[in-house]
């Protein structure tokens, strides 16, 4: 089984992947780690701020990792914001039954009421540099873009509106 975890920044993709690793003992691949390895090694001239270009650059690599894991009958969790809205088109009927897709997003109301908590948890699993560009408005816009993009592609989005922990526990069950 392959579990793809997509979503907007700060929605807890890495936290969910870690919880799934602990529960199911599936390894996980952070697309952010792949991104930084390629950037730091100088293999690409892209920067961490080049989101759309990074999706185009990284997705073909991640897509083929997913296919290889399925072909080898291996379990893998892949998490990151570089999964394109149209990801499903890249897999035929041989692969799709082996993929579970999860997309996390927060409502504007949730962000408005829980912004301090959201920022307070940003380094819960990985040590992140403080993002001074991460404002309520930026998070709201990114979450709206994520919801609109994935829903337009026919995907379901887990919309977090009230209790974050309960939403994550529902996924794990």
């Amino acid at each position: 089984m392959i579990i793809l975890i997509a979503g907007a920044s700060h929605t807890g993709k890495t936290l969910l992947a870690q919880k799934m690793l602990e529960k199911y003992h599936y390894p996980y691949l952070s697309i952010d780690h792949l991104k930084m390895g390629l950037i730091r090694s100088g293999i690409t001239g892209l920067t961490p701020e080049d989101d759309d270009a990074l999706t185009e650059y990284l997705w073909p690599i991640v897509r083929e990792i997913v296919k290889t894991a399925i072909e080898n009958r291996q379990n893998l969790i892949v998490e990151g914001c570089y999964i394109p809205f149209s990801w499903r088109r890249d897999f035929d009927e041989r692969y799709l039954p082996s993929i579970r897709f999860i997309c996390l997003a927060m409502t504007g109301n949730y962000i408005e009421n829980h912004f301090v908590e959201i920022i307070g948890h940003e380094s819960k699993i990985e040590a992140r540099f403080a993002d001074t560009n991460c404002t309520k408005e930026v998070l709201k816009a990114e979450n709206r873009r994520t919801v609109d993009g994935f829903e337009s592609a026919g995907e379901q989005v887990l919309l977090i509106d009230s209790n974050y922990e309960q939403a994550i526990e529902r996924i794990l069950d």
Side-chain angles (χ1 to χ4, degrees):
M1 173 63 64
I2 305 300
I3 301 170
L4 292 179
I5 304 173
S9 179
H10 289 77
T11 55
K13 297 177 298 294
T14 306
L15 174 65
L16 179 58
Q18 180 68 37
K19 286 182 177 279
M20 288 182 154
L21 171 123
E22 292 166 5
K23 181 172 183 170
Y24 302 116
H25 306 285
Y26 292 3
Y28 76 84
L29 168 67
S30 166
I31 301 174
D32 277 344
H33 290 174
L34 177 61
K35 167 189 79 177
M36 291 311 298
L38 292 165
I39 290 171
R40 286 178 160 182
S41 67
I43 290 174
T44 179
L46 295 171
T47 71
E49 288 77 38
D50 295 327
D51 284 338
D52 290 337
L54 281 164
T55 298
E56 282 184 40
Y57 186 77
L58 294 168
W59 179 245
I61 298 165
V62 172
R63 176 191 67 219
E64 297 308 315
I65 290 170
V66 168
K67 287 179 180 178
T68 301
I70 292 170
E71 290 162 358
N72 289 326
R73 296 186 186 103
Q74 294 173 305
N75 298 314
L76 180 64
I77 301 162
V78 178
E79 65 87 10
C81 60
Y82 302 105
I83 298 172
F85 302 136
S86 62
W87 72 269
R88 194 173 291 272
R89 286 189 236 156
D90 291 330
F91 299 97
D92 63 31
E93 63 280 348
R94 291 176 295 164
Y95 300 103
L96 285 171
S98 299
I99 300 173
R100 177 179 176 206
F101 177 74
I102 299 167
C103 181
L104 302 176
M106 298 173 179
T107 65
N109 184 53
Y110 184 86
I111 294 166
E112 190 66 40
N113 294 322
H114 298 275
F115 182 73
V116 172
E117 294 168 54
I118 293 166
I119 297 305
H121 289 292
E122 69 184 357
S123 291
K124 190 164 188 167
I125 299 298
E126 58 188 357
R128 294 174 123 186
F129 294 113
D131 184 356
T132 56
N133 293 328
C134 186
T135 64
K136 286 182 187 178
E137 292 70 30
V138 168
L139 281 183
K140 287 178 187 179
E142 186 177 334
N143 276 267
R144 184 78 257 149
R145 179 182 174 273
T146 297
V147 170
D148 291 346
F150 280 113
E151 285 184 346
S152 292
E155 301 295 343
Q156 290 187 349
V157 176
L158 175 67
L159 206 50
I160 299 161
D161 187 43
S162 57
N163 188 313
Y164 182 86
E165 287 77 20
Q166 284 180 349
I168 296 303
E169 287 304 316
R170 278 196 315 265
I171 294 171
L172 292 170
D173 292 338

